[in-house]
């Protein structure tokens, strides 16, 4: 398993397009809005800003998913972590490993004190990853995300550097 | 974005200008306000206030990322506080506010939050308004719950107060939320109040034996009828007084600040957050009487009720025959309003006439 920054290479664009067409990922991730190669390149370009870092998750030389940090450099030293994995690679424990690695990076390299994971209530797979990685459940934010014109409740988990 | 002034009844919310920096700086020098504000510079200077107005408030309106207002009474230039919205996600805003101590207790914060939430829903098309406050900031939470904000959980180490990571209560108001129909609990757990030589502690800091002993005292039994006789009833007394969760009472043990040894008990009870009123009751053990402890403890609990709970009226009722209590009431500015005939049955099974004293929040 390896984490590396996204590039606009044709391989990465292809993976982003594939992810955007998978129903589970479309439902829960911003990548679901990608409609073509142009959108995919834009999505990749948007992965890197002063408040965001995002990595392609590689296994055996092929990109199979992503893990990223959002809302970085908050004065409160709070950030948010997100991830997805292509369907055929789920259940391998790779995303858990990657989340653990990025969590350590956030705490050690970026001085984050509190890292949050938020997911839709029916996204059980995401909830399990958060639990396995030590992100404690703190509550449910009502109507916190807009998806397809409907506001969805989000489950809030967090892990502290001191946990 | 168009800078908007919002008004309702006696309130006027106005986008800040340079002239507001001095009163904002003066208010935020008060550690009791600054203590609750996330990542605020400390000590807070006039330059910090100017930076806030020029670099945060004015650009905040231009980018629509952070519309904010100073809170005034109509026609009165004094800055009572600041309230603002911060764009968190698309169509999601967080509301934040502070009020100077002298402006509290009159529903101004509640009215201001209502106004700003309406502006967020109607003008900014907000679909969710978030709120958070440090766990223990009951004043902020009381305001939030009066407006109808629903508490969603506790986010650990979410805020940085006095440079320390601090847990926050978080919640939200959605466009379809009904206004609150009944008062809700605002107390997570007892709050400790300290003003040496006295500290008001959680009732869990005393032993059952201490409670049993206290209620053996003839004067306490007579004027504070109670069922405490044994370990079980004493345990119920401690648990009941330490459980503030129904929001109807806030009860403490009065103790020496240094040794934390208990000398009495005090309670704001019958707290009614629609009517913004409560009653106060107290007793001290015999060895601690005549030293002004009851007087000081009543002062502390009264101040907390007005400042932190936003109460408007607290009443103090005692048997006319209990002259000591009358002196405590008078010393704390509780005016004698009248005498209730045979108002309550006391410890000896007889009904006694009672004095009713009342105190109204300063400024009303």
């Amino acid at each position: 398993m390896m984490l590396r920054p996204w590039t606009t290479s044709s391989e990465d664009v292809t993976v982003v397009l594939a992810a955007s067409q998978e129903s589970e990922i479309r439902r829960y991730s911003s990548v679901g809005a990608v409609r073509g190669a142009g959108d995919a390149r834009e999505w990749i370009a948007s992965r890197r800003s002063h408040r965001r870092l995002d990595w392609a998750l590689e296994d055996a030389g092929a990109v199979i998913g992503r893990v990223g940090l959002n809302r970085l450099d908050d004065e409160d030293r709070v950030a948010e972590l997100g991830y997805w994995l292509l369907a055929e690679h789920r259940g391998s424990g790779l995303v858990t490993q990657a989340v653990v690695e990025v969590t350590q990076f956030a705490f050690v390299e970026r001085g984050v004190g509190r890292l949050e994971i938020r997911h839709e209530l029916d996204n059980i797979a995401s909830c399990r990853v958060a639990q396995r990685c030590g992100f404690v459940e703190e509550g449910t934010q009502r109507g916190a995300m807009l998806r397809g014109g409907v506001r969805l409740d989000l489950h809030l988990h967090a892990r502290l550097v001191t946990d | 974005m168009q800078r908007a002034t919002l008004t309702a009844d006696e309130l006027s919310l106005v986008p800040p200008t340079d002239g507001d920096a001095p009163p904002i700086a003066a208010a935020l020098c008060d550690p009791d306000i600054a203590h609750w504000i996330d990542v605020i510079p400390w000590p807070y200077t006039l330059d910090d206030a100017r930076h806030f107005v020029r670099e945060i408030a004015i650009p905040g309106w231009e980018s629509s990322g952070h519309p904010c207002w100073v809170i005034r009474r109509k026609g009165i230039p004094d800055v009572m506080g600041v309230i603002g919205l911060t764009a968190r996600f698309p169509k999601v805003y967080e509301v934040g506010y502070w009020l100077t101590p002298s402006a509290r207790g009159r529903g101004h914060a509640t009215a201001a939050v209502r106004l700003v939430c309406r502006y967020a829903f109607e003008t900014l098309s907000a679909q969710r308004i978030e709120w958070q406050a440090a766990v223990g900031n009951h004043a902020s939470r009381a305001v939030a719950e009066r407006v109808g904000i629903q508490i969603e959980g506790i986010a650990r180490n979410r805020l940085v107060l006095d440079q320390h990571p601090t847990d926050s209560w978080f919640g939200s108001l959605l466009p379809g939320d009904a206004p609150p129909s009944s008062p809700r609990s605002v107390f997570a757990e007892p709050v400790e109040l300290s003003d040496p030589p006295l500290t008001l502690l959680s009732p869990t800091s005393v032993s059952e034996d201490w409670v049993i002993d206290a209620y053996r005292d003839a004067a306490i039994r007579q004027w504070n009828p109670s069922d405490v006789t044994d370990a079980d009833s004493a345990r119920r007394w401690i648990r009941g007084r330490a459980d503030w969760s129904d929001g109807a009472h806030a009860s403490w043990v009065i103790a020496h600040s240094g040794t934390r040894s208990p000398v009495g008990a005090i309670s704001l009870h019958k707290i009614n957050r629609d009517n913004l009123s409560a009653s106060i009751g107290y007793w001290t053990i015999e060895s601690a009487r005549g030293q002004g402890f009851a007087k000081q403890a009543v002062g502390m609990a009264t101040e907390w009720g007005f400042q932190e709970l936003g109460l408007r009226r607290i009443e103090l009722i005692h048997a006319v025959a209990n002259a000591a209590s009358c002196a405590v009431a008078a010393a704390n500015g509780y005016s004698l309003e009248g005498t209730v005939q045979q108002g309550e049955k006391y410890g000896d099974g007889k009904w006694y006439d009672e004095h009713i004293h009342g105190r109204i929040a300063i400024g009303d």
Side-chain angles (χ1 to χ4, degrees):
Chain A
M1 192 272 297
M2 191 181 91
L3 293 165
R4 62 149 174 88
W6 288 98
T7 69
T8 44
S9 68
S10 62
E11 190 209 351
D12 286 8
V13 169
T14 307
V15 170
V16 169
L17 277 173
S20 76
Q21 284 155 21
E22 278 195 12
S23 63
E24 288 288 300
I25 298 177
R26 285 174 74 94
R27 225 166 120 203
Y28 297 127
S29 165
S30 67
V31 82
V34 167
R35 289 288 177 272
D39 284 356
R41 273 189 287 272
E42 237 169 70
W43 183 87
I44 289 169
S46 73
R47 296 299 92 192
R48 210 151 249 272
S49 74
H50 67 292
R51 302 197 68 191
R52 177 181 271 171
L53 282 171
D54 214 290
W55 295 271
L57 169 57
E58 268 190 9
D59 183 44
V63 178
I64 61 166
R66 73 161 273 255
V67 180
L69 295 170
N70 274 324
R71 286 156 53 204
L72 274 165
D73 296 328
D74 191 303
E75 285 178 309
D76 288 315
R77 305 212 159 271
V78 175
E80 185 170 351
L81 189 148
Y83 42 81
W84 48 251
L85 205 63
L86 295 175
E88 59 183 299
H89 301 280
R90 284 181 209 144
S92 61
L94 285 173
V95 81
T96 301
Q97 266 182 54
V99 167
V100 168
E101 194 153 312
V102 171
T103 300
Q104 280 313 305
F105 172 87
F107 288 153
V108 176
E109 303 297 325
R110 298 302 300 247
V112 168
R114 169 185 165 84
L115 193 55
E116 300 181 347
I117 292 175
R118 304 192 305 158
H119 64 81
E120 292 82 346
L121 299 191
D122 60 355
N123 189 349
I124 309 295
S126 189
C127 198
R128 292 225 176 93
V129 170
Q131 285 166 342
R132 268 201 296 273
C133 296
F135 286 71
V136 178
E137 301 171 28
E138 296 182 332
T140 300
Q141 297 180 317
R142 301 174 309 142
M145 175 161 286
L146 187 64
R147 177 86 9 102
V150 180
R151 296 210 72 88
L152 301 172
D153 294 352
L154 293 184
H155 205 172
L156 174 67
H157 295 250
R159 182 162 172 177
L160 308 185
V161 67
T162 49
D163 278 349
Chain B
M1 183 167 86
Q2 188 78 36
R3 290 159 66 94
T5 293
L6 311 178
T7 57
D9 298 329
E10 53 176 337
L11 275 195
S12 172
L13 308 185
V14 187
T17 60
D18 266 348
D20 295 318
I24 289 173
L28 293 182
C29 283
D30 180 349
D32 288 340
I33 302 180
H35 169 72
W36 295 114
I37 302 179
D38 193 25
V39 288
I40 187 180
W42 183 259
Y44 198 88
T45 64
L46 182 56
D47 278 345
D48 292 320
R50 286 201 185 110
H51 175 86
F52 165 74
V53 172
R54 289 176 192 168
E55 309 299 331
I56 297 172
I58 292 172
W61 275 101
E62 282 160 8
S63 69
S64 23
H66 182 54
C68 72
W69 299 263
V70 293
I71 306 171
R72 292 206 178 87
R73 270 174 149 165
K74 272 183 196 161
I76 298 173
D78 296 3
V79 171
M80 296 199 296
V82 169
I83 184 165
L85 293 164
T86 305
R88 304 284 300 173
F89 300 96
K91 309 270 184 214
V92 177
Y93 290 84
E94 180 175 328
V95 63
Y97 43 90
W98 58 260
L99 230 65
T100 60
S102 62
R104 292 180 202 159
R106 281 169 277 166
H108 292 328
T110 306
V113 174
R114 275 204 192 100
L115 258 180
V116 165
C117 287
R118 198 167 70 209
Y119 173 82
F121 288 137
E122 291 176 1
T123 306
L124 304 179
S125 311
Q127 293 178 338
R128 169 178 159 91
I129 296 172
E130 300 190 335
W131 166 90
Q132 62 175 330
V135 170
N137 188 352
H138 294 280
S140 182
R141 179 159 168 173
V143 168
E145 295 208 47
R146 269 183 221 124
V147 170
I149 288 169
Q150 293 189 23
I151 306 304
E152 296 172 334
I154 291 179
R156 299 166 310 139
N157 282 6
R158 178 63 189 81
L159 303 175
V160 178
L161 302 187
D162 299 339
Q163 300 185 346
H164 294 293
T166 305
D167 296 351
S168 76
W169 286 316
F170 66 90
S172 70
L173 185 68
L174 304 186
D177 282 347
S181 53
S182 61
R184 259 185 271 226
S185 161
V186 303
F187 308 109
E189 55 193 27
V191 185
E192 185 173 316
L193 305 180
S194 194
D195 186 9
L198 289 188
T199 296
L200 305 187
L201 298 175
S202 165
T204 54
S205 56
V206 294
S207 66
E208 290 154 20
D209 286 343
W210 183 83
V211 178
I212 295 168
D213 268 355
Y215 277 105
R216 280 197 187 116
D217 178 272
I220 293 176
R221 252 200 344 262
Q222 169 61 10
W223 302 123
N224 305 274
S226 140
D227 67 350
V228 173
T229 51
D230 56 10
D232 273 352
S233 49
R235 199 175 307 127
R236 277 199 305 277
W237 183 93
I238 292 170
R239 267 200 216 133
R241 293 212 168 202
D243 178 4
W244 293 16
S245 61
D246 69 359
H249 77 97
S251 305
W252 297 269
V253 160
I254 308 168
H256 289 290
S257 296
T259 59
R260 295 170 87 81
S261 59
V263 298
I266 188 161
S267 181
L268 284 169
H269 53 100
K270 296 187 191 138
I271 294 173
N272 179 329
R273 283 202 311 281
D274 286 331
N275 201 42
L276 301 180
S277 62
S279 270
I280 193 164
Y282 48 89
W283 48 257
T284 51
I285 57 174
E286 192 179 8
S287 61
R289 287 179 207 148
Q291 298 169 61
F293 291 159
K295 176 186 156 192
Q296 192 199 329
V298 166
M300 290 166 75
T302 300
E303 199 64 16
W304 185 82
F306 287 141
Q307 297 286 347
E308 299 300 321
L309 295 187
L311 298 175
R312 293 187 73 244
R313 171 186 165 82
I314 302 176
E315 60 187 29
L316 189 162
I317 297 172
H318 66 85
V320 176
N322 179 3
S325 209
C326 205
V328 168
N332 275 294
Y334 280 85
S335 324
L336 180 58
E337 296 173 329
T339 303
V340 181
Q341 298 179 74
Q342 306 208 1
E344 195 176 334
K345 188 165 80 169
Y346 279 83
D348 58 2
K350 294 180 180 153
W351 277 262
Y352 282 80
D353 288 356
E354 295 176 304
H355 272 171
I356 178 160
H357 297 254
R359 191 170 141 182
I360 306 301
I362 297 162
D364 272 312

